[in-house]
Amino acid sequence: LRTGGKYVFFTRELDGDIGSIYKLINGETDFVQVTKEPAYVLDIIGDTAYYYMLANSTVYNYDALNGTAKPIIYGGYTDYLFNPENDFNVISYTVASDDESVGGIYVLKAQGGAKQQISTYSGKCFVYYQNYVYYINTDKLNQLYRVGIDGKNEQCISEEFVFDYMVPDLMENYLYFYSDSDYDRIYRINLLDLTQECVEFEDIAIVG
């Protein structure tokens, strides 16, 4: 299930398996089928949804206003960041074996095209801020890293083991995340000077 400002997209489950994607307008009950094959939505930005089609391992850009879709990323990747405002997407993949894990982070144009590698590490939970891609480095004990959109100035900015089931939350110039190293407490890092602090001092079960 993914929600946007106007639309809700969801995948129907069929006998425990992933089914087709449907959409409906927020507040209404009539839904419209978007795909004929099994798929799931990765993100919604404005009136555009990005979904992954299982049959061909392809990501599509879907215009909810006119109901048209076009392929933009081919091949199965493990994590995505869509940034149409700056005309690029970020993708990552990991291929694991008994001996090693091989992966990388790439940038490509928003409408598709050749990809450019910006890191040899495997990453997830991407956040973009002022020409840097911030990510959880799954090759380095889930530490928080950043790398320039041009592939330069890659560095570790937090040695905490970062909780990777949620994308870190960007608010103004702060990046908030859960630290698995510190009992899932909430931390934040100032992206201007890279100073870090814990902002949750009580052991509580729910954060709102």
Side-chain angles (χ1 to χ4, degrees):
L1 176 69
R2 292 289 183 270
T3 61
K6 184 177 181 181
Y7 296 96
V8 174
F9 290 83
F10 62 93
T11 295
R12 300 189 72 177
E13 187 177 281
L14 299 174
D15 298 325
D17 295 325
I18 294 176
S20 299
I21 293 175
Y22 293 78
K23 72 174 180 180
L24 59 85
I25 297 176
N26 285 331
E28 298 187 3
T29 57
D30 295 329
F31 48 84
V32 176
Q33 187 171 359
V34 174
T35 66
K36 295 181 179 180
E37 301 292 333
Y40 57 88
V41 176
L42 296 164
D43 199 3
I44 301 173
I45 301 176
D47 293 316
T48 300
Y50 299 86
Y51 67 82
Y52 183 86
M53 185 74 71
L54 273 67
N56 58 7
S57 301
T58 299
V59 174
Y60 289 80
N61 173 322
Y62 174 78
D63 188 330
L65 294 178
N66 57 34
T68 59
K70 57 183 176 182
I72 59 171
I73 301 174
Y74 299 93
Y77 293 90
T78 53
D79 221 89
Y80 302 85
L81 168 68
F82 304 101
N83 195 324
E85 181 180 352
N86 294 288
D87 192 36
F88 70 82
N89 299 317
V90 179
I91 54 178
S92 178
Y93 77 95
T94 303
V95 178
S97 67
D98 293 337
D99 300 323
E100 62 179 350
S101 176
V102 180
I105 300 173
Y106 298 83
V107 171
L108 71 163
K109 290 290 187 180
Q111 301 305 316
K115 61 182 185 287
Q116 173 190 353
Q117 188 171 28
I118 61 173
S119 176
T120 57
Y121 291 127
S122 297
K124 63 189 307 184
C125 300
F126 298 117
V127 175
Y128 175 75
Y129 181 73
Q130 292 190 351
N131 296 317
Y132 278 95
V133 175
Y134 293 82
Y135 68 95
I136 297 173
N137 190 326
T138 55
D139 293 333
K140 294 291 184 179
L141 297 175
N142 273 37
Q143 294 176 347
L144 192 61
Y145 270 63
R146 75 174 184 178
V147 61
I149 199 66
D150 57 1
K152 299 178 180 179
N153 302 319
E154 188 168 34
Q155 66 182 127
C156 174
I157 62 172
S158 176
E159 294 183 352
E160 299 290 322
F161 191 100
V162 181
F163 184 81
D164 63 6
Y165 291 101
M166 297 174 62
V167 176
D169 191 17
L170 178 65
M171 182 175 293
E172 296 180 345
N173 57 290
Y174 285 95
L175 196 63
Y176 292 81
F177 60 90
Y178 288 100
S179 171
D180 270 2
S181 300
D182 191 14
Y183 304 100
D184 291 340
R185 286 188 171 93
I186 301 172
Y187 276 66
R188 74 175 183 178
I189 186 165
N190 187 325
L191 301 185
L192 300 181
D193 59 17
L194 300 184
T195 56
Q196 176 179 285
E197 61 182 333
C198 177
V199 295
E200 179 190 344
F201 301 102
E202 300 292 334
D203 290 325
I204 56 180
I206 300 175
V207 178

